[in-house]
Amino acid sequence: MDGVLYDSMPHHAIAWQQSMKKFGIHMTAADAYATEGARGIDTIRLFARQQLHEELTLQQAQEMYDEKTRIFHEMGDAPIFDGVLDLMQWLNDHHISVNVVTGSGQRPLIRRLLHDFGDFLDEDHITTAYDVDRGKPYPDPYLAGLRKAGNLKPSDAVVVENAPLGIRSGVAAGIYTVAINSGPLPDATLLAEHPNKLFPTIRDFYNTLRDRKTER
């Protein structure tokens, strides 16, 4: 979702920095990008362990994540990336289902997904942080996504990811994984997670799919 469908990571980076500062945790924009895709509560517990030397309960981490969520939603809606709607229409035209696997579980974001992409996506095909006990970089979210997509085999799917942890999750699930470098991280950081392909934008990925299909 974030960084693949929506250009929302700049907002997330600011929200992470501002919210965590209130709890005595130092988090940079680079930290936000590096941990993108993980469940928010897992990220908070990790930083609390490293910086505060505390083992937070799930409830404590959730309360801190709620503050991050509040700040994020005050910043307004992030735009849809160029090429996303064309890609979804292409997939739909070729009878390929669209599914979302996100580390978020925020209802406003789920509602926005359904509003923006309702022609291609329904809630039964959205996997959130609340569907798994272990988030990205573990394979669990994408394995859950395969089940929601109709009990597919890994070879029946393609993962599209923009974050190192998400790429690692898709690769660990045994799914062909495409990396989209929509943020400030160098290509080498994403390639270190061994995606099958890397593109600079969703538009480039869509153009490649369209052109190859046309050639055939």
Side-chain angles (χ1 to χ4, degrees), residues 25 35 40-41 56 62 64 73 79-80 130 137 154:
I25 293 175
T35 57
I41 55 174
L56 299 181
Q62 183 64 56
M64 295 165 69
H73 285 298
I80 299 170
Y130 299 115

Side-chain angles (χ1 to χ4, degrees), residues 87 91 96-101 142 146 152-161 170 174-179 196-197 199 205 209:
L87 174 61
L91 294 171
I96 301 170
S97 69
V98 174
N99 302 265
V100 173
V101 177
Y142 281 110
L146 290 174
L152 301 182
K153 296 179 294 185
S155 58
D156 292 328
V158 173
V159 165
V160 182
E161 267 285 355
I175 305 172
Y176 189 98
T177 300
V178 172
N196 296 89
K197 293 286 185 181
F199 294 92
F205 176 45
L209 286 176

Side-chain angles (χ1 to χ4, degrees), residues 20 23 25 40-50 52-65:
M20 291 304 101
F23 299 101
I25 293 175
I41 55 174
D42 293 335
T43 297
I44 291 170
R45 296 180 82 190
L46 172 65
F47 275 78
R49 192 178 303 120
Q50 292 176 340
L52 305 180
H53 308 292
E54 295 181 14
E55 194 65 44
L56 299 181
T57 66
L58 290 176
Q59 181 176 348
Q60 288 172 318
Q62 183 64 56
E63 290 172 356
M64 295 165 69
Y65 185 60

Side-chain angles (χ1 to χ4, degrees), residues 1-200:
M1 182 172 64
D2 298 304
V4 174
L5 304 181
Y6 298 110
D7 189 9
S8 49
M9 278 309 298
H11 287 183
H12 277 292
I14 293 171
W16 272 118
Q17 292 175 86
Q18 291 183 357
S19 61
M20 291 304 101
K21 185 177 181 180
K22 295 182 178 183
F23 299 101
I25 293 175
H26 176 68
M27 192 169 185
T28 66
D31 291 330
Y33 281 94
T35 57
E36 179 192 354
R39 298 191 308 172
I41 55 174
D42 293 335
T43 297
I44 291 170
R45 296 180 82 190
L46 172 65
F47 275 78
R49 192 178 303 120
Q50 292 176 340
Q51 296 186 21
L52 305 180
H53 308 292
E54 295 181 14
E55 194 65 44
L56 299 181
T57 66
L58 290 176
Q59 181 176 348
Q60 288 172 318
Q62 183 64 56
E63 290 172 356
M64 295 165 69
Y65 185 60
D66 288 344
E67 175 61 11
K68 182 263 176 181
T69 300
R70 183 190 67 78
I71 295 172
F72 174 78
H73 285 298
E74 287 182 348
M75 301 177 72
D77 289 339
I80 299 170
F81 274 116
D82 173 56
V84 166
L85 289 170
D86 287 338
L87 174 61
M88 288 192 177
Q89 185 64 61
W90 187 93
L91 294 171
N92 187 68
D93 291 344
H94 290 83
H95 310 291
I96 301 170
S97 69
V98 174
N99 302 265
V100 173
V101 177
T102 175
S104 175
Q106 303 168 32
R107 289 306 307 174
L109 296 181
I110 305 306
R111 286 195 293 270
R112 188 182 177 199
L113 280 173
L114 297 174
H115 175 270
D116 292 343
F117 309 117
D119 290 340
F120 314 107
L121 179 70
D122 60 51
E123 190 157 2
D124 289 339
H125 289 78
I126 300 175
T127 302
T128 75
Y130 299 115
D131 290 310
V132 294
D133 293 326
R134 300 189 307 175
K136 303 170 187 177
Y138 292 99
D140 306 34
Y142 281 110
L143 296 176
L146 290 174
R147 291 191 293 271
K148 284 199 171 190
N151 290 316
L152 301 182
K153 296 179 294 185
S155 58
D156 292 328
V158 173
V159 165
V160 182
E161 267 285 355
N162 71 302
L165 298 185
I167 296 169
R168 195 184 309 171
S169 176
V171 171
I175 305 172
Y176 189 98
T177 300
V178 172
I180 307 292
N181 196 352
S182 61
L185 298 177
D187 284 353
T189 299
L190 303 187
L191 291 172
E193 303 297 341
H194 308 294
N196 296 89
K197 293 286 185 181
L198 183 144
F199 294 92

